[in-house]
Amino acid sequence: MTAVGGAPEPSDRTQWTDSQEFMMSSEFDLSGVHVALTTPFDPETAVVDHAALAAHATWLLDNGIDGLVACSPLGEYPSLDRDERREVVETVARVTAGRAKLIVGVSAPNFRIAGDHTAHAASLGADAVMLLPPTNHAPTSTELIDHYRSVAQYDVPVVVVNDPASTHIDLTPDIVEELGRLDGIAAVVEASGDVRRLLAIAERAADLQLLCGTDDLALESALMGGIGWIGGFTGVLPIETRALFQLGRSGQVERGLTTYRQMLPLLRWSSRTRSVEAVKCALDHLDLPGGGPPRPPRRVVDEIEREIIGHQLERARAATA
């Protein structure tokens, strides 16, 4: 059977028929703190360093992280070819198996490519896939809905991502509400930077799980109904960021603000154009796997930025001490 709109046919594991409506598992739950993993590369060859990736992923789970996201924008997915993306997902899947949620970034220029990535993620037992709007053009509202509907027909929950700073496409609460009516759409990651969106989405798309997608709105998201956080610096400071998010989730505003203010100078890098480089720099400061150079044409941060990040990192580490 050909999927809607000509998308790749679901794998045998996810085959369905028109009479079988995709039903979301009642156990689907993306609450907690998750990490959008970086992709480490060999400094000499720029080949993916799978040993470092697995080591970083294992360290994060050992430190209480609830889920890992492979091939997100922070993982530099546009610089990976199809085989590399699959291999990265497979490496992370081996680490998360039985221990944590596996979320796979499947964003692509069109739903055929995104569907191919989704079928692969489903075959590995991914808990969810994370999908940006089409990355090659500004879609009409109808095209946008078709994009998500086509990917949502695979038997794996879809997490909608709103990140207009990188995509130049803003998924407004109106659009999110409409997407939330599609079978298979399970959650939304809000990364517009507009705190007003949080309550608007919670009110208008109440069936979708709401997750924070930008580190410098983590506390606000937790206080306004966000059940989860998919972050970059959560991959650098897993214990500290989990403590911060829990303060927000439990309504401990005064303690949360004290901690948050100390961490914010570092977390604000997540909303800047060099967020990938900043997170990798922070990992290098702590001698953690997952850092190192980004894949060209990205470059490492300069010495001044490196020193600034180092100071901000030490302040953030002390926030929950």
Side-chain angles (χ1 to χ4, degrees):
M1 183 189 71
T2 301
V4 173
E9 184 175 319
S11 66
D12 290 341
R13 179 183 178 275
T14 59
Q15 193 74 34
W16 58 282
T17 68
D18 293 338
S19 63
Q20 292 174 310
E21 182 179 355
F22 170 57
M23 301 296 291
M24 196 70 60
S25 169
S26 60
E27 297 179 357
F28 179 77
D29 179 13
L30 289 185
S31 61
V33 176
H34 314 280
V35 174
L37 290 165
T38 56
T39 302
F41 300 102
D42 183 279
E44 300 297 327
T45 65
V47 171
V48 176
D49 186 341
H50 287 276
L53 176 62
H56 186 211
T58 300
W59 178 80
L60 289 168
L61 299 193
D62 289 344
N63 281 276
I65 286 296
D66 297 292
L68 300 178
V69 184
C71 294
S72 73
L74 197 75
E76 301 176 69
Y77 80 86
S79 73
L80 304 175
D81 64 31
R82 179 177 184 267
D83 289 342
E84 287 177 318
R85 285 181 71 160
R86 288 188 168 213
E87 290 163 0
V88 164
V89 174
E90 289 162 7
T91 294
V92 178
R94 284 192 288 271
V95 176
T96 57
R99 295 193 64 191
K101 300 289 185 181
L102 171 64
I103 308 165
V104 178
V106 298
S107 300
N110 59 63
F111 59 76
R112 291 185 60 83
I113 300 173
D116 179 53
H117 294 312
T118 302
H120 177 250
S123 74
L124 296 173
D127 295 283
V129 295
M130 201 166 73
L131 181 65
L132 289 164
T135 58
N136 65 339
H137 78 297
T140 66
S141 58
T142 301
E143 291 170 342
L144 186 64
I145 297 300
D146 284 347
H147 181 72
Y148 279 96
R149 181 186 289 114
S150 295
V151 175
Q153 63 187 309
Y154 295 85
D155 192 13
V156 57
V158 175
V159 179
V160 173
V161 184
N162 184 37
D163 186 9
S166 63
T167 65
H168 307 293
I169 300 166
D170 188 9
L171 302 181
T172 64
D174 285 344
I175 296 173
V176 172
E177 181 180 11
E178 189 170 357
L179 290 173
R181 298 190 186 106
L182 299 176
D183 291 333
I185 304 296
V188 57
V189 174
E190 170 52 37
S192 70
D194 184 351
V195 68
R196 295 169 298 183
R197 294 287 181 86
L198 299 168
L199 282 178
I201 292 171
E203 291 166 356
R204 301 181 65 172
D207 290 339
L208 296 183
Q209 296 185 19
L210 177 62
L211 294 92
C212 172
T214 180
D215 293 351
D216 52 353
L217 276 181
L219 184 61
E220 296 90 333
S221 298
L223 290 170
M224 295 188 186
I227 67 164
W229 174 9
I230 294 179
F233 285 100
T234 57
V236 180
L237 300 172
I239 295 174
E240 294 85 350
T241 51
R242 286 178 63 244
L244 170 65
F245 200 67
Q246 181 56 40
L247 289 173
R249 290 273 283 157
S250 60
Q252 299 181 63
V253 179
E254 186 173 347
R255 286 184 60 194
L257 278 173
T258 300
T259 300
Y260 197 37
R261 288 185 175 124
Q262 199 162 328
M263 298 179 75
L264 264 176
L266 180 70
L267 300 183
R268 286 191 178 114
W269 284 93
S270 70
S271 296
R272 299 175 184 172
T273 55
R274 306 207 71 199
S275 58
V276 172
E277 295 88 337
V279 170
K280 284 193 165 184
C281 175
L283 289 168
D284 289 341
H285 267 290
L286 299 179
D287 292 322
L288 292 171
R295 181 169 273 182
R298 291 182 184 270
R299 293 189 168 202
V300 297
V301 297
D302 61 34
E303 286 303 316
I304 294 176
E305 291 172 318
R306 184 176 181 81
E307 185 174 347
I308 291 171
I309 291 169
H311 287 306
Q312 293 171 340
L313 176 62
E314 290 310 311
R315 185 181 178 193
R317 291 181 74 193
T320 57

